[in-house]
Amino acid sequence: INDPEILFLDEPTTGLDPQARHGFWDLVRTIRGRGKTVVLTTHNMEEAAELCDEIAILDRGKVIARGEPKQLLRQQFEGSIVELPADDFRPTEEFPWPWYESNGSIEIQTADVNATLERLLRDGVALEHLQVKSRTLEDLFLELTGRHLRS
């Protein structure tokens, strides 16, 4: 009973502060390191990325994606996101990368960060508040299931 081959955990870190959550993640890694299988259900995509060798994304009770986290991200997304304040971005009509505005920020999807930054500089865009982000499992979840709540 105290040393199972398979351990099922359902939302184990909900409500924990960051320090306790990271301590729990260390415990899960220790258990996995002993050759045990851990089945984890979580809505915390950071937790899934940190702890899981394989994930399954469910939508309306059906598996819509399954595989290694990095593999799923590579399959769905190309490149990175360049994010900057909307006030700093004034695109020309021929801006070559897809972008969208959300909550006062612009997100530019690009497979070539260097070329994107060069273009922004050439267009006179201030880069002081710019961030380059990799796609995450949360991005994947939202891409596959949609950004809006459904009933």
Side-chain angles (χ1 to χ4, degrees):
I1 290 176
N2 290 325
D3 191 25
E5 292 300 311
I6 301 175
L7 178 62
F8 291 88
L9 301 171
D10 183 21
E11 300 285 351
T13 61
T14 299
L16 296 182
D17 64 50
Q19 186 179 38
R21 184 178 68 238
H22 283 270
F24 187 83
W25 290 357
D26 289 341
L27 176 61
V28 171
R29 285 187 202 96
T30 299
I31 292 168
R32 287 179 47 211
R34 287 193 246 147
K36 308 299 181 177
T37 299
V38 178
V39 178
L40 173 71
T41 58
T42 184
H43 288 92
N44 182 329
M45 297 295 104
E46 178 188 9
E47 182 167 79
E50 187 70 30
L51 296 178
C52 297
D53 297 325
E54 183 175 341
I55 64 166
I57 295 177
L58 293 109
D59 188 32
R60 297 183 185 238
K62 296 193 183 337
V63 175
I64 59 172
R66 182 175 169 208
E68 296 175 15
K70 289 180 182 177
Q71 172 197 20
L72 290 172
L73 290 170
R74 279 192 305 270
Q75 288 172 352
Q76 187 68 32
F77 300 117
E78 182 180 329
S80 302
I81 296 292
V82 173
E83 183 180 305
L84 63 155
D87 292 342
D88 293 347
F89 184 68
R90 307 238 180 333
T92 58
E93 286 184 27
E94 67 275 353
F95 193 78
W97 295 279
W99 60 275
Y100 69 92
E101 184 173 354
S102 176
N103 298 323
S105 292
I106 298 294
E107 290 190 359
I108 303 166
Q109 301 173 27
T110 180
D112 189 344
V113 173
N114 290 336
T116 305
L117 295 179
E118 288 172 9
R119 174 60 185 265
L120 290 170
L121 285 169
R122 200 169 55 242
D123 287 351
V125 174
L127 303 183
E128 288 85 16
H129 303 288
L130 180 137
Q131 296 181 36
V132 177
K133 299 179 177 182
S134 297
R135 296 300 201 129
T136 66
L137 288 180
E138 186 164 326
D139 295 326
L140 177 65
F141 182 89
L142 292 172
E143 183 77 18
L144 296 176
T145 64
R147 292 185 172 268
H148 303 288
L149 289 176
R150 302 178 300 231
S151 57

